[in-house]
Amino acid sequence: PINNIRALQPDVIMESASHLGYDYLEEIPKICKARVVMMPYYPEQSSTAIKKKIIQDLWGDTYKPSNHH
């Protein structure tokens, strides 16, 4: 995420509390002036599952993910 943060220079960055202790968090103040907001971690709420549901609702079974990120 550091390259994205450096490129975008956001005002606010939301991070999961499950990321506490990750090295990249120490880099954020060195590369931008964003306010970092730590959100609680809820293991029963999966961002991957939410994204898949959105894709399914929008495109049904016709969506074929690419390997491009």
Side-chain angles (χ1 to χ4, degrees):
I2 286 297
N3 289 335
N4 292 338
I5 293 169
R6 184 179 286 117
L8 296 171
Q9 291 293 307
D11 294 321
V12 177
I13 299 170
M14 296 184 72
E15 285 290 337
S16 169
S18 67
H19 294 177
L20 286 173
Y22 283 31
D23 291 340
Y24 77 89
L25 292 175
E26 295 176 13
E27 296 299 313
I28 293 173
K30 298 173 187 174
I31 62 169
C32 73
K33 297 179 181 178
R35 177 177 164 216
V36 178
V37 178
M38 300 303 288
M39 299 300 294
Y41 174 67
Y42 299 103
E44 66 278 0
Q45 291 181 339
S46 162
S47 61
T48 301
I50 292 168
K51 292 172 198 172
K52 286 181 180 180
K53 179 171 180 357
I54 291 168
I55 289 168
Q56 181 69 33
D57 289 351
L58 290 174
W59 292 289
D61 294 327
T62 62
Y63 179 74
K64 302 291 184 231
S66 69
N67 291 328
H68 306 284
H69 297 282

